[in-house]
Amino acid sequence: MIVCLVAVSLLYALRWSLMSMAASPYHILFIQALHCLTFAGYYYVGTQLTTLLVPKEYRASGQAVYALSWGGLSGVVAGIVGGWMFQELGAQTMYRISALTALLGAAGFALMYRRLFKSGVSTHPIQSYGGQNHEEA
């Protein structure tokens, strides 16, 4: 799952970098096609990690907290900060900062994967959950 987060973060960095260079609305239309991969990738992995990491009796609450943080709190913060950056720094700079942030996230996930791999912790979600199928756990 962590490798998926690295890949999706890199796709986000690509998307934001391309947005910073977009010269026409047609460019934006094609670039936004990456949205289906980036949004769905993060949302799917986050949902799966919540299912794997939260004990069964708290899963509904775990998913609610995940949905709130993903769609609620982060949306408000991104709207305020992104709106300020867009107004004060311009669209090109805002997208470049977003690309850099996504690259930092990819690097962080890659370091986390490396650390887990070196420590011998399984990076396969089913194995790290005790070898049980998450429906059974």
Side-chain angles (χ1 to χ4, degrees), residues 72-112:
L73 183 60
S74 65
V76 171
V77 172
I80 292 170
V81 174
W84 176 86
M85 285 194 305
F86 186 90
Q87 183 174 347
E88 299 298 322
L89 306 174
Q92 189 175 37
T93 302
M94 178 192 69
Y95 286 121
R96 286 180 179 166
I97 290 170
S98 298
L100 179 61
T101 303
L103 284 174
L104 290 172
F109 290 131
L111 288 171
M112 182 169 56

Short mmCIF file of all heavy atoms in Angstrom, two decimals, residues 72-112:
data_model
loop_
_atom_site.label_atom_id
_atom_site.label_comp_id
_atom_site.label_asym_id
_atom_site.label_seq_id
_atom_site.Cartn_x
_atom_site.Cartn_y
_atom_site.Cartn_z
N GLY A 72 -13.52 16.82 4.49
CA GLY A 72 -14.00 17.97 5.25
C GLY A 72 -12.89 18.91 5.64
O GLY A 72 -12.69 19.98 5.04
N LEU A 73 -12.13 18.51 6.63
CA LEU A 73 -11.08 19.36 7.20
C LEU A 73 -10.03 19.73 6.16
O LEU A 73 -9.66 20.90 6.02
CB LEU A 73 -10.44 18.66 8.40
CG LEU A 73 -9.38 19.44 9.16
CD1 LEU A 73 -9.97 20.73 9.73
CD2 LEU A 73 -8.80 18.59 10.27
N SER A 74 -9.55 18.75 5.42
CA SER A 74 -8.51 19.05 4.42
C SER A 74 -9.06 19.95 3.32
O SER A 74 -8.33 20.79 2.79
CB SER A 74 -7.94 17.76 3.83
OG SER A 74 -8.93 17.07 3.11
N GLY A 75 -10.33 19.79 2.96
CA GLY A 75 -10.94 20.65 1.94
C GLY A 75 -11.02 22.10 2.39
O GLY A 75 -10.77 23.02 1.60
N VAL A 76 -11.34 22.31 3.66
CA VAL A 76 -11.41 23.67 4.19
C VAL A 76 -10.03 24.31 4.22
O VAL A 76 -9.83 25.43 3.75
CB VAL A 76 -12.05 23.67 5.61
CG1 VAL A 76 -11.91 25.03 6.26
CG2 VAL A 76 -13.50 23.24 5.54
N VAL A 77 -9.05 23.57 4.74
CA VAL A 77 -7.68 24.09 4.82
C VAL A 77 -7.13 24.35 3.41
O VAL A 77 -6.56 25.41 3.13
CB VAL A 77 -6.76 23.13 5.60
CG1 VAL A 77 -5.30 23.56 5.51
CG2 VAL A 77 -7.20 23.06 7.06
N ALA A 78 -7.33 23.39 2.50
CA ALA A 78 -6.84 23.56 1.12
C ALA A 78 -7.52 24.73 0.44
O ALA A 78 -6.88 25.49 -0.31
CB ALA A 78 -7.05 22.27 0.33
N GLY A 79 -8.79 24.92 0.69
CA GLY A 79 -9.51 26.04 0.09
C GLY A 79 -8.99 27.39 0.58
O GLY A 79 -8.79 28.31 -0.21
N ILE A 80 -8.73 27.47 1.86
CA ILE A 80 -8.23 28.73 2.43
C ILE A 80 -6.80 29.00 1.99
O ILE A 80 -6.48 30.07 1.47
CB ILE A 80 -8.34 28.71 3.97
CG1 ILE A 80 -9.82 28.72 4.39
CG2 ILE A 80 -7.59 29.88 4.58
CD1 ILE A 80 -10.05 28.46 5.86
N VAL A 81 -5.92 28.02 2.18
CA VAL A 81 -4.50 28.21 1.83
C VAL A 81 -4.33 28.33 0.32
O VAL A 81 -3.62 29.21 -0.17
CB VAL A 81 -3.64 27.06 2.41
CG1 VAL A 81 -2.20 27.17 1.93
CG2 VAL A 81 -3.70 27.07 3.92
N GLY A 82 -4.99 27.44 -0.44
CA GLY A 82 -4.90 27.50 -1.89
C GLY A 82 -5.46 28.79 -2.45
O GLY A 82 -4.89 29.37 -3.38
N GLY A 83 -6.57 29.24 -1.90
CA GLY A 83 -7.15 30.51 -2.34
C GLY A 83 -6.22 31.68 -2.07
O GLY A 83 -6.04 32.56 -2.91
N TRP A 84 -5.60 31.67 -0.89
CA TRP A 84 -4.64 32.74 -0.57
C TRP A 84 -3.45 32.70 -1.51
O TRP A 84 -3.03 33.73 -2.03
CB TRP A 84 -4.17 32.61 0.89
CG TRP A 84 -3.13 33.62 1.22
CD1 TRP A 84 -3.36 34.91 1.65
CD2 TRP A 84 -1.71 33.46 1.14
NE1 TRP A 84 -2.15 35.55 1.82
CE2 TRP A 84 -1.12 34.68 1.52
CE3 TRP A 84 -0.89 32.40 0.78
CZ2 TRP A 84 0.25 34.86 1.54
CZ3 TRP A 84 0.48 32.58 0.80
CH2 TRP A 84 1.04 33.81 1.19
N MET A 85 -2.89 31.49 -1.73
CA MET A 85 -1.74 31.38 -2.64
C MET A 85 -2.11 31.81 -4.05
O MET A 85 -1.33 32.52 -4.71
CB MET A 85 -1.20 29.94 -2.67
CG MET A 85 -0.42 29.56 -1.44
SD MET A 85 0.56 28.04 -1.60
CE MET A 85 -0.62 26.83 -2.10
N PHE A 86 -3.27 31.41 -4.52
CA PHE A 86 -3.71 31.78 -5.87
C PHE A 86 -3.81 33.30 -6.00
O PHE A 86 -3.33 33.88 -6.97
CB PHE A 86 -5.05 31.12 -6.18
CG PHE A 86 -5.52 31.31 -7.58
CD1 PHE A 86 -5.16 30.40 -8.55
CD2 PHE A 86 -6.31 32.39 -7.93
CE1 PHE A 86 -5.59 30.56 -9.87
CE2 PHE A 86 -6.73 32.56 -9.24
CZ PHE A 86 -6.37 31.64 -10.22
N GLN A 87 -4.40 33.93 -5.00
CA GLN A 87 -4.60 35.38 -5.04
C GLN A 87 -3.29 36.14 -4.86
O GLN A 87 -3.03 37.11 -5.57
CB GLN A 87 -5.59 35.81 -3.96
CG GLN A 87 -5.91 37.29 -3.99
CD GLN A 87 -6.99 37.65 -3.00
OE1 GLN A 87 -7.67 36.79 -2.46
NE2 GLN A 87 -7.16 38.94 -2.77
N GLU A 88 -2.47 35.72 -3.92
CA GLU A 88 -1.26 36.49 -3.59
C GLU A 88 -0.04 36.10 -4.43
O GLU A 88 0.81 36.95 -4.69
CB GLU A 88 -0.92 36.32 -2.10
CG GLU A 88 -2.00 36.82 -1.16
CD GLU A 88 -2.27 38.31 -1.29
OE1 GLU A 88 -1.30 39.07 -1.50
OE2 GLU A 88 -3.45 38.70 -1.20
N LEU A 89 0.06 34.85 -4.82
CA LEU A 89 1.26 34.36 -5.51
C LEU A 89 1.02 34.04 -6.98
O LEU A 89 1.97 33.91 -7.74
CB LEU A 89 1.81 33.12 -4.79
CG LEU A 89 2.08 33.28 -3.30
CD1 LEU A 89 2.48 31.94 -2.70
CD2 LEU A 89 3.13 34.34 -3.04
N GLY A 90 -0.24 33.85 -7.35
CA GLY A 90 -0.57 33.50 -8.72
C GLY A 90 -0.73 31.99 -8.90
O GLY A 90 -0.22 31.19 -8.11
N ALA A 91 -1.44 31.62 -9.96
CA ALA A 91 -1.74 30.21 -10.21
C ALA A 91 -0.48 29.39 -10.45
O ALA A 91 -0.34 28.29 -9.92
CB ALA A 91 -2.69 30.08 -11.39
N GLN A 92 0.44 29.91 -11.23
CA GLN A 92 1.64 29.16 -11.57
C GLN A 92 2.44 28.80 -10.31
O GLN A 92 2.85 27.66 -10.13
CB GLN A 92 2.50 29.96 -12.54
CG GLN A 92 3.65 29.19 -13.11
CD GLN A 92 4.41 29.98 -14.16
OE1 GLN A 92 4.58 31.19 -14.01
NE2 GLN A 92 4.86 29.32 -15.20
N THR A 93 2.62 29.76 -9.43
CA THR A 93 3.37 29.51 -8.19
C THR A 93 2.60 28.56 -7.28
O THR A 93 3.20 27.66 -6.67
CB THR A 93 3.66 30.84 -7.47
OG1 THR A 93 4.39 31.68 -8.35
CG2 THR A 93 4.43 30.61 -6.19
N MET A 94 1.28 28.71 -7.21
CA MET A 94 0.48 27.83 -6.38
C MET A 94 0.64 26.37 -6.84
O MET A 94 0.85 25.47 -6.02
CB MET A 94 -1.00 28.22 -6.44
CG MET A 94 -1.91 27.31 -5.62
SD MET A 94 -3.65 27.54 -5.95
CE MET A 94 -3.79 26.91 -7.62
N TYR A 95 0.58 26.15 -8.14
CA TYR A 95 0.72 24.79 -8.65
C TYR A 95 2.14 24.26 -8.47
O TYR A 95 2.33 23.07 -8.21
CB TYR A 95 0.30 24.70 -10.12
CG TYR A 95 -1.20 24.77 -10.29
CD1 TYR A 95 -1.79 25.77 -11.06
CD2 TYR A 95 -2.03 23.84 -9.69
CE1 TYR A 95 -3.16 25.84 -11.22
CE2 TYR A 95 -3.41 23.90 -9.83
CZ TYR A 95 -3.97 24.90 -10.60
OH TYR A 95 -5.33 24.95 -10.75
N ARG A 96 3.13 25.11 -8.57
CA ARG A 96 4.50 24.66 -8.33
C ARG A 96 4.71 24.27 -6.87
O ARG A 96 5.37 23.28 -6.57
CB ARG A 96 5.50 25.75 -8.74
CG ARG A 96 5.63 25.88 -10.24
CD ARG A 96 6.60 26.94 -10.62
NE ARG A 96 6.72 27.01 -12.07
CZ ARG A 96 7.28 27.99 -12.71
NH1 ARG A 96 7.82 29.02 -12.05
NH2 ARG A 96 7.34 27.98 -14.02
N ILE A 97 4.16 25.05 -5.96
CA ILE A 97 4.24 24.71 -4.54
C ILE A 97 3.51 23.39 -4.27
O ILE A 97 3.98 22.54 -3.52
CB ILE A 97 3.68 25.86 -3.67
CG1 ILE A 97 4.61 27.06 -3.72
CG2 ILE A 97 3.46 25.40 -2.22
CD1 ILE A 97 4.04 28.33 -3.11
N SER A 98 2.37 23.20 -4.92
CA SER A 98 1.61 21.95 -4.77
C SER A 98 2.41 20.77 -5.29
O SER A 98 2.41 19.69 -4.68
CB SER A 98 0.28 22.05 -5.51
OG SER A 98 -0.51 23.08 -4.96
N ALA A 99 3.10 20.95 -6.43
CA ALA A 99 3.94 19.87 -6.97
C ALA A 99 5.07 19.53 -6.00
O ALA A 99 5.36 18.36 -5.77
CB ALA A 99 4.50 20.28 -8.33
N LEU A 100 5.69 20.55 -5.44
CA LEU A 100 6.77 20.33 -4.48
C LEU A 100 6.25 19.61 -3.24
O LEU A 100 6.88 18.67 -2.73
CB LEU A 100 7.42 21.66 -4.08
CG LEU A 100 8.54 21.58 -3.06
CD1 LEU A 100 9.70 20.74 -3.58
CD2 LEU A 100 9.02 22.97 -2.71
N THR A 101 5.08 20.00 -2.78
CA THR A 101 4.48 19.35 -1.62
C THR A 101 4.20 17.87 -1.91
O THR A 101 4.45 16.99 -1.07
CB THR A 101 3.18 20.07 -1.21
OG1 THR A 101 3.48 21.44 -0.94
CG2 THR A 101 2.55 19.45 0.01
N ALA A 102 3.70 17.58 -3.11
CA ALA A 102 3.44 16.19 -3.49
C ALA A 102 4.75 15.40 -3.58
O ALA A 102 4.79 14.23 -3.18
CB ALA A 102 2.69 16.14 -4.82
N LEU A 103 5.80 16.02 -4.08
CA LEU A 103 7.11 15.35 -4.13
C LEU A 103 7.64 15.06 -2.74
O LEU A 103 8.21 13.99 -2.48
CB LEU A 103 8.12 16.18 -4.92
CG LEU A 103 7.97 16.17 -6.43
CD1 LEU A 103 8.95 17.15 -7.07
CD2 LEU A 103 8.16 14.77 -6.99
N LEU A 104 7.45 16.00 -1.82
CA LEU A 104 7.85 15.78 -0.44
C LEU A 104 7.06 14.62 0.17
O LEU A 104 7.61 13.79 0.91
CB LEU A 104 7.68 17.05 0.39
CG LEU A 104 8.65 18.18 0.09
CD1 LEU A 104 8.24 19.45 0.85
CD2 LEU A 104 10.07 17.79 0.44
N GLY A 105 5.77 14.55 -0.15
CA GLY A 105 4.95 13.43 0.32
C GLY A 105 5.44 12.10 -0.24
O GLY A 105 5.55 11.11 0.49
N ALA A 106 5.77 12.08 -1.53
CA ALA A 106 6.29 10.85 -2.15
C ALA A 106 7.59 10.44 -1.48
O ALA A 106 7.80 9.25 -1.20
CB ALA A 106 6.50 11.07 -3.64
N ALA A 107 8.46 11.40 -1.22
CA ALA A 107 9.73 11.10 -0.55
C ALA A 107 9.48 10.55 0.86
O ALA A 107 10.12 9.59 1.28
CB ALA A 107 10.62 12.33 -0.51
N GLY A 108 8.55 11.15 1.56
CA GLY A 108 8.22 10.67 2.91
C GLY A 108 7.68 9.26 2.90
O GLY A 108 8.08 8.42 3.72
N PHE A 109 6.77 8.97 1.97
CA PHE A 109 6.23 7.61 1.87
C PHE A 109 7.33 6.62 1.47
O PHE A 109 7.36 5.49 1.96
CB PHE A 109 5.08 7.54 0.87
CG PHE A 109 3.83 8.23 1.35
CD1 PHE A 109 3.16 9.13 0.52
CD2 PHE A 109 3.31 7.99 2.61
CE1 PHE A 109 2.01 9.75 0.94
CE2 PHE A 109 2.16 8.62 3.05
CZ PHE A 109 1.50 9.51 2.21
N ALA A 110 8.23 7.03 0.57
CA ALA A 110 9.33 6.16 0.16
C ALA A 110 10.26 5.87 1.34
O ALA A 110 10.70 4.72 1.53
CB ALA A 110 10.11 6.78 -0.99
N LEU A 111 10.56 6.88 2.14
CA LEU A 111 11.39 6.67 3.32
C LEU A 111 10.70 5.75 4.33
O LEU A 111 11.34 4.91 4.95
CB LEU A 111 11.75 8.01 3.97
CG LEU A 111 12.75 8.87 3.22
CD1 LEU A 111 12.86 10.24 3.86
CD2 LEU A 111 14.11 8.19 3.16
N MET A 112 9.40 5.93 4.49
CA MET A 112 8.64 5.08 5.40
C MET A 112 8.69 3.63 4.90
O MET A 112 8.91 2.70 5.69
CB MET A 112 7.19 5.55 5.51
CG MET A 112 6.36 4.73 6.47
SD MET A 112 4.74 5.41 6.88
CE MET A 112 3.97 5.60 5.31
#
